[in-house]
Amino acid sequence: MTRKTRTRPYHHGDLKRALLEASIELIHEEGVEALTVAEVGRRVGVSSAAPYKHFADRQALLRALAVEGNRRLGEALVAAAEGSTEPREAFRLSGVAYIRWAAENPALHRIATDPAHIDYASAPPDVDAPEALKGSMETFWTDLAELVRSGAALPASHPLMEQLRGRALALGVASLFVSGAFASLGITTADAERIARAVTGEDVPATSRRSKASRTHGA
């Protein structure tokens, strides 16, 4: 079967941005495996050589997508915690946003969390984190690495250990959406918000859809 290629003629402006947008569209439609510099160039509608001026090869494009994915994810976390002044609640809300974002952007999430494409020791995404989230977004990885490498005690109540538990929980649930494990059980992206709120400590009420399904099953 011939693969359908969507093109969007490019005339002027920020070609690098256009290539990234086309890449995100491509992986959303066909998966990460379909991504190539040449295919992205075709979608944008530029000459075969033009994309390589910005991305020397597929790996360079993947690295740029990882940066863009983490930037978008960071913006989602900040938006979710906006207005919250209590760090624990802000962190919980950011966890809910993380799971929801991953469920809605599975291909980009795969790239944005792949160590082959990102550097955890590098600067955090260029987003303006609210005060309640600054510790968990701006310095977490470097602080965690320093603590563990020092050989110091790691009490369960240590703020970094609590953050690590929260991050591991969010990543684990997100991975169940991204991998398709939830989908195989009939749990869809629409369920991400409810599941995320429940696993981060909130009592989530039943929905009319669930109530109806339960009554039908019991009839």
Side-chain angles (χ1 to χ4, degrees), residues 146-170:
E146 183 178 343
L147 174 66
V148 175
R149 290 198 305 261
S150 73
L154 302 176
S157 60
H158 193 290
L160 288 173
M161 292 300 104
E162 292 182 341
Q163 284 190 44
L164 183 58
R165 278 198 300 277
R167 285 172 175 264
L169 174 63

Side-chain angles (χ1 to χ4, degrees), residues 112-126:
T113 56
D114 189 337
H117 313 314
I118 62 174
D119 179 7
Y120 283 101
S122 65
D126 186 19

Side-chain angles (χ1 to χ4, degrees), residues 10 13-23 40 44 50-51 53-55 60-61 64-65:
Y10 176 82
D14 189 345
L15 177 56
K16 183 175 182 179
R17 170 56 51 184
L19 292 168
L20 284 174
E21 293 292 343
S23 297
V40 171
V44 173
K53 296 177 181 177
H54 296 282
F55 306 108
L61 180 55
L65 281 174

Side-chain angles (χ1 to χ4, degrees), residues 16-31:
K16 183 175 182 179
R17 170 56 51 184
L19 292 168
L20 284 174
E21 293 292 343
S23 297
I24 292 171
E25 183 180 86
L26 173 61
I27 63 175
H28 177 74
E29 293 175 356
E30 302 184 34

Side-chain angles (χ1 to χ4, degrees), residues 38-69:
E39 175 59 22
V40 171
R42 280 193 291 270
R43 283 184 168 236
V44 173
V46 295
S47 68
S48 58
Y52 292 95
K53 296 177 181 177
H54 296 282
F55 306 108
D57 52 28
R58 184 174 186 269
Q59 183 58 35
L61 180 55
L62 284 167
R63 285 195 295 269
L65 281 174
V67 171
E68 176 63 13

